[in-house]
Amino acid sequence: MFCTRKSVDKFFQAYKNELRRQISKTTSVTNSDSMAPRLDQTNKATNEETVQKRLLKLQKYHRYLSTLTSQQMPLAARGLAVSKDQSREFMACFPDIVRELTETGKHIDVPEASKWLAKLLQYNVPNGKKNRGLATVLAYKMLEKPDKLTPENIHLANIMGWCTEMFHTHQLLLNDIMSGAEMRRGVPCWYRQTNVGMAAINDSSLIQSAMYSTLKRNFVNKPYYKNVLEMFNEMLLKCSIGNYLEKQIMKTDKPDLSLFTMEKYEAITKYKTSYYTFQMPVGLALLMAGVDDPETHRQAKTILLEMGEFFQIQDDFLDCFGEPSVIGKNGTDIQDGKCTWLAVVALQRATPAQKQLMEDHYGSSNVEDVQKIKDLYEELQLPHTYSVYEEATYDLLRTQIQQVTRGLPHDFIPGQHIAKMATNASVSEMQKERELFLDVFPSIMDTLLTKTKFSNIPHVANWTKKVLEYNLQGGKKNRGLSAALAYEMLEDPEKITEETLRISRVLGWCVEMLQSYLVVVDDMMDGATKRRGIPCWYCLPNVGLGAINDSILIYSALKEILAAYCKHLPQYPLIVDEYDEALLYTTVGQHLDFEMAHRHKKDYSLFTTEKYNSIAKFKTAYYTYKLPVSLGLLLANKTDPETHKKAESICIDIGLLFQMQDDFIDCFGVETLTGKIGNDIQEGKCSWLAVQALQLCSQKQRTVFVSCYGSPEPAHIERVKRLYEELELPALYHRTEKHLYDTIVKNLEQLPPDSMSPKLFIKLLDLIYDRKN
């Protein structure tokens, strides 16, 4: 596991050569002929003739514009100088990843979700140039010692590359929704597909979860696994910051051109593009090659971020002056009012009259307005400026690469580094514990703002704090309290300290953050207006669809908090895995729920007890009960798989009871107590009440149900509620609730003596039994 100066120098030399040929997105050619292209291939000669005509117009400003030339296809466009065999090797790995994700795991009992995940991955991930994934593989092969380049390790590098592609796809899906894009890689954006729409937000979470699941499956036993997770989490935060910065410039329908400064542009470029497009692939390859020395990563990061800015400026130029048949999309930066390099430089050079022209026409989708902006760019000789910049930047980067590699040390050595079950009789009184739990929150926010990566961008940190405080307010905090309670009741009494109790509460707040992330997304998908008695986050002024990125900020904050408080623990990677697993299974549940309410609306043959139990299990039980209890076990250093399996089984049963209660309260609860307006009937949800009604109703009553269920009409909603009462469902609910409670208690009493104490689960049951909100 050594990395030599020669291998690092070889890698940067390849990047230097690649820069000369241009690091840009200038083709829609696929990376492998093992996959059928998604677009009909146009005539190559026609393409080249069109591009050459374009060049004749632009080259009056400069002798050579490398980004636009079609004479030599840039190697980056073909996968960063990889051969066809390497590209085929990379592509051949993807079907196996999809198969592992959809044919194994705890969600295989819901084949429709697995089928949807396969469709989602196949449509969105393997198309495009896959530069990030191929760069990861290429970098690893260059950085690893030859004797370590075994077929197994190369296969793992390919898997790591696909994880970077899944990360990229997650970003694309969300960006397309937020920007209202229509096409991506020559086909309609995923959210514009029939029966997708805003459910694409949940689908993006599915892809993110699939990424983390793939990482865990293949790398959990590798010494670099923890650092790899940290890098993916960090990149998620960086991209969210970039999206936030870009959104601030485009808060209104018309862009605020006074904010179009080079400083602002460079910040957006760095966070939205450079980090995950350039630093991440190389950083991951360094980690896989055993290089975790911070100085090496810092030096690599410096040059890679410079490359990233170069890449983005090229992208901006191509968006305006590139040929759609070559770059694979129609440029829309002018129409969208984006803060691009061209716009910033134009505003720097423009006369007052030219600035007014920009004010009048930039950000308009009118064809004539767009052409006026392009004419202005040419009038200001921006193509010439760009070509000079491109050549000068290449020379600068070449010099920097030589300086970086000259100073690298020769070798780097990566730093490397079943409890007896017991009960805890001294459990704090619940109200006191709630107060202690709430008292921790201000210090968590202070840590987030001052001791995590958020501290580098104060205004983003302050916005994230606002997002968290708004979405975490109210509610009973039972999920978070359960994590602290689980630890206190599962740990050996003599090992409980103020510090471990504080960490358990921090883990609990991270559970609450996970719920907030899910709630923000769920409200948008459902079109809800109120949550916990206040407007949903996306309904607030100046938020809207920006809530999509805000939800990612919440999840990034969760990961930053985990790292700040728990990174020193040996169980840290397992703790992080628990949150990622909970996200995966909850998004599976969200998908099943949304599918029943929207894609298969009015198909009441699907409203079965089996289907309902699957939705409740995945959407509720995992993150509401299984996650907090698993966190308590891990913090108490109880990692025995059999113990976790027993705990999971009990938690699933409690989760089913909780979801049944939630469905009943949605219909018959009092809004002043629940803090929200029930909408399961309006949305046609597969709820416990609906399933019971369809099992008990007569043919005449079924006709009433079918005609009224899923309708927003107040009269129809009221008629369904009356039908529930006619069928005596409230009484059935109370009997069922009591029966489920008694059954769970009976099962707990039968736990083996050497297993965990049933007291924890009894406590969790007592928190929800006969609840009203």
Side-chain angles (χ1 to χ4, degrees):
M1 298 289 284
F2 290 84
C3 177
T4 65
R5 172 185 172 183
K6 183 178 178 181
S7 64
V8 176
D9 183 69
K10 177 183 176 184
F11 171 74
F12 278 110
Q13 181 65 34
Y15 258 81
K16 181 181 73 176
N17 293 337
E18 180 57 14
L19 278 168
R20 190 56 177 170
R21 295 179 174 92
Q22 43 180 339
I23 309 172
S24 64
K25 299 184 285 186
T26 56
T27 184
S28 59
V29 176
T30 55
N31 283 297
S32 170
D33 56 11
S34 65
M35 282 191 66
R38 297 173 68 183
L39 297 173
D40 294 332
Q41 298 298 310
T42 53
N43 184 276
K44 181 178 179 182
T46 303
N47 276 348
E48 293 191 354
E49 181 182 352
T50 303
V51 174
Q52 290 305 322
K53 288 179 180 179
R54 189 80 169 171
L55 283 171
L56 287 175
K57 180 181 178 183
L58 294 173
Q59 284 180 344
K60 63 184 179 182
Y61 300 109
H62 197 263
R63 67 188 183 279
Y64 181 63
L65 280 170
S66 70
T67 300
L68 291 175
T69 184
S70 62
Q71 296 174 354
Q72 183 180 45
M73 190 67 72
L75 294 180
R78 290 180 287 150
L80 272 175
V82 300
S83 67
K84 279 191 174 183
D85 287 343
Q86 288 175 308
S87 188
R88 288 194 185 98
E89 174 190 273
F90 186 65
M91 292 302 302
C93 186
F94 184 69
D96 293 335
I97 293 174
V98 175
R99 194 175 302 111
E100 287 177 347
L101 286 167
T102 56
E103 295 182 7
T104 60
K106 298 170 187 173
H107 59 287
I108 58 174
D109 58 338
V110 280
E112 62 271 38
S114 295
K115 185 178 179 181
W116 181 264
L117 177 58
K119 178 181 177 182
L120 170 67
L121 292 168
Q122 289 161 353
Y123 186 92
N124 292 289
V125 178
N127 304 291
K129 296 179 291 295
K130 295 170 280 295
N131 284 348
R132 294 160 184 84
L134 288 163
T136 305
V137 180
L138 178 65
Y140 173 72
K141 288 181 177 179
M142 289 181 172
L143 292 167
E144 184 62 280
K145 285 180 67 70
D147 61 323
K148 298 290 185 180
L149 288 174
T150 62
E152 179 188 359
N153 285 339
I154 291 173
H155 179 66
L156 287 175
N158 280 291
I159 292 173
M160 188 70 77
W162 279 113
C163 287
T164 66
E165 288 298 318
M166 283 190 267
F167 182 96
H168 178 50
T169 302
H170 168 258
Q171 292 295 308
L172 293 184
L173 260 63
L174 295 179
N175 286 332
D176 286 344
I177 299 171
M178 290 189 288
S179 65
E182 294 185 3
M183 302 287 286
R184 170 68 65 181
R185 295 167 175 167
V187 297
C189 297
W190 177 249
Y191 81 100
R192 291 188 175 272
Q193 292 291 305
T194 306
N195 292 329
V196 178
M198 293 300 285
I201 303 173
N202 189 66
D203 291 340
S204 72
S205 294
L206 269 177
I207 290 179
Q208 180 188 9
S209 300
M211 174 193 79
Y212 282 121
S213 180
T214 301
L215 287 171
K216 180 180 179 181
R217 182 187 301 275
N218 293 280
F219 303 101
V220 68
N221 295 319
K222 300 296 180 182
Y224 51 78
Y225 177 59
K226 182 174 79 171
N227 290 333
V228 164
L229 282 181
E230 285 295 293
M231 180 159 289
F232 276 96
N233 294 338
E234 179 181 356
M235 293 303 115
L236 188 65
L237 170 59
K238 301 293 190 190
C239 290
S240 299
I241 290 172
N243 285 323
Y244 170 82
L245 294 173
E246 186 173 63
K247 177 176 173 288
Q248 290 306 103
I249 290 181
M250 304 171 66
K251 271 188 172 180
T252 60
D253 293 338
K254 199 160 182 65
D256 184 353
L257 299 185
S258 68
L259 299 175
F260 280 37
T261 65
M262 192 56 71
E263 180 183 23
K264 187 77 70 175
Y265 173 77
E266 289 173 350
I268 293 171
T269 296
K270 181 168 73 169
Y271 283 94
K272 190 175 180 183
T273 303
S274 300
Y275 275 111
Y276 92 97
T277 301
F278 284 86
Q279 185 200 350
M280 182 165 74
V282 178
L284 292 171
L286 283 167
L287 292 174
M288 290 187 71
V291 184
D292 62 359
D293 172 61
E295 181 59 22
T296 305
H297 281 265
R298 187 196 65 77
Q299 290 178 334
K301 173 183 172 182
T302 299
I303 188 66
L304 291 164
L305 291 184
E306 291 283 349
M307 291 179 180
E309 183 176 338
F310 183 47
F311 174 91
Q312 186 59 52
I313 291 174
Q314 287 182 315
D315 207 43
D316 293 350
F317 188 80
L318 287 167
D319 186 273
C320 181
F321 292 109
E323 282 298 323
S325 59
V326 177
I327 65 175
K329 64 177 181 178
N330 293 311
T332 60
D333 285 354
I334 294 173
Q335 297 92 310
D336 294 340
K338 292 278 184 73
C339 178
T340 67
W341 181 84
L342 291 166
V344 170
V345 175
L347 287 166
Q348 288 176 342
R349 292 185 174 184
T351 65
Q354 290 170 325
K355 285 183 179 179
Q356 188 57 51
L357 187 147
M358 287 278 287
E359 291 282 357
D360 294 341
H361 303 288
Y362 198 73
S364 167
S365 58
N366 183 284
V367 176
E368 294 180 356
D369 290 335
V370 173
Q371 190 57 51
K372 286 179 180 178
I373 297 298
K374 290 186 178 182
D375 291 343
L376 175 62
Y377 287 167
E378 293 188 21
E379 183 181 330
L380 292 169
Q381 298 191 358
L382 294 193
H384 170 76
T385 303
Y386 168 77
S387 65
V388 172
Y389 159 83
E390 183 185 45
E391 193 165 329
T393 301
Y394 163 73
D395 291 336
L396 176 63
L397 286 171
R398 180 178 57 186
T399 301
Q400 289 178 335
I401 288 171
Q402 290 169 346
Q403 291 173 346
V404 168
T405 56
R406 191 181 303 123
L408 286 174
H410 288 195
D411 298 306
F412 307 100
I413 304 176
Q416 306 291 341
H417 79 273
I418 300 203
K420 173 179 172 288
M421 297 298 292
T423 61
N424 178 21
S426 58
V427 181
S428 303
E429 192 270 324
M430 207 60 206
Q431 185 55 38
K432 181 181 177 183
E433 177 54 40
R434 191 184 302 275
E435 292 172 0
L436 292 170
F437 184 72
L438 294 174
D439 287 344
V440 173
F441 185 69
S443 64
I444 292 176
M445 287 297 97
D446 181 66
T447 297
L448 181 69
L449 269 61
T450 62
K451 298 178 182 178
T452 69
K453 298 180 184 72
F454 277 93
S455 63
N456 298 323
I457 310 289
H459 57 294
V460 179
N462 289 328
W463 175 260
T464 304
K465 180 174 182 284
K466 180 179 178 181
V467 175
L468 286 167
E469 288 176 342
Y470 188 91
N471 289 287
L472 286 169
Q473 65 179 302
K476 297 178 290 296
K477 304 289 184 292
N478 280 349
R479 293 172 180 83
L481 284 165
S482 296
L485 181 66
Y487 169 71
E488 195 172 356
M489 299 187 75
L490 293 169
E491 179 63 285
D492 297 329
E494 66 273 12
K495 294 181 181 179
I496 296 176
T497 66
E498 284 300 317
E499 174 63 15
T500 59
L501 286 173
R502 185 170 70 99
I503 292 176
S504 73
R505 292 168 188 140
V506 170
L507 292 178
W509 275 110
C510 288
V511 175
E512 292 292 324
M513 289 181 198
L514 177 62
Q515 190 202 12
S516 293
Y517 164 83
L518 295 165
V519 162
V520 169
V521 170
D522 191 49
D523 287 343
M524 285 187 283
M525 291 171 57
D526 289 345
T529 57
K530 294 186 75 175
R531 171 73 64 170
R532 293 170 177 169
I534 58 176
C536 297
W537 177 247
Y538 81 99
C539 293
L540 294 183
N542 295 326
V543 178
L545 287 180
I548 297 172
N549 191 63
D550 292 340
S551 70
I552 305 301
L553 284 174
I554 293 173
Y555 196 71
S556 297
L558 180 163
K559 291 298 184 73
E560 286 295 296
I561 292 298
L562 283 179
Y565 285 91
C566 304
K567 198 171 183 179
H568 65 286
L569 299 174
Q571 313 96 301
Y572 172 67
L574 298 177
I575 289 172
V576 173
D577 285 343
E578 285 296 331
Y579 287 93
D580 292 336
E581 181 188 70
L583 177 61
L584 170 61
Y585 293 134
T586 307
T587 50
V588 167
Q590 291 274 43
H591 168 77
L592 294 172
D593 189 39
F594 186 87
E595 189 174 50
M596 294 285 284
H598 298 276
R599 298 192 182 103
H600 300 307
K601 193 168 185 175
K602 299 282 187 182
D603 185 357
Y604 298 119
S605 66
L606 299 175
F607 279 42
T608 64
T609 299
E610 181 184 26
K611 182 72 70 175
Y612 174 77
N613 287 345
S614 291
I615 294 173
K617 171 184 172 183
F618 288 105
K619 186 179 179 182
T620 301
Y622 273 105
Y623 91 97
T624 302
Y625 290 100
K626 194 267 183 181
L627 174 62
V629 171
S630 293
L631 292 172
L633 284 166
L634 289 174
L635 189 57
N637 202 30
K638 302 181 189 301
T639 57
D640 173 55
E642 191 59 32
T643 300
H644 280 259
K645 186 176 179 181
K646 290 175 183 176
E648 177 178 327
S649 177
I650 298 168
C651 289
I652 296 301
D653 289 340
I654 299 176
L656 294 176
L657 172 59
F658 181 86
Q659 186 59 55
M660 185 191 79
Q661 292 175 325
D662 221 37
D663 293 349
F664 184 80
I665 292 169
D666 184 272
C667 181
F668 293 107
V670 179
E671 184 186 343
T672 54
L673 290 177
T674 64
K676 64 178 181 178
I677 301 171
N679 54 14
D680 284 358
I681 295 174
Q682 297 93 302
E683 294 176 14
K685 291 282 185 74
C686 178
S687 70
W688 182 84
L689 290 165
V691 171
Q692 300 304 314
L694 287 167
Q695 290 178 350
L696 296 172
C697 67
S698 65
Q699 188 58 47
K700 182 178 179 181
Q701 289 170 322
R702 185 182 181 88
T703 301
V704 171
F705 181 91
V706 170
S707 62
C708 296
Y709 200 70
S711 167
E713 292 294 327
H716 289 167
I717 297 167
E718 191 57 38
R719 184 64 188 93
V720 173
K721 288 184 179 181
R722 288 206 311 273
L723 175 61
Y724 287 166
E725 291 175 348
E726 290 168 14
L727 294 169
E728 299 182 346
L729 293 190
L732 176 62
Y733 163 76
H734 290 299
R735 291 197 302 272
T736 305
E737 181 188 37
K738 180 69 166 60
H739 174 72
L740 287 175
Y741 177 89
D742 292 341
T743 301
I744 294 171
V745 171
K746 185 176 180 180
N747 291 337
L748 289 172
E749 291 171 349
Q750 296 174 358
L751 282 174
D754 59 343
S755 183
M756 69 201 84
S757 167
K759 292 181 181 178
L760 167 63
F761 301 102
I762 295 295
K763 193 74 176 179
L764 294 176
L765 278 170
D766 288 343
L767 286 174
I768 65 169
Y769 184 64
D770 199 29
R771 68 188 178 103
K772 300 295 187 294
N773 60 10

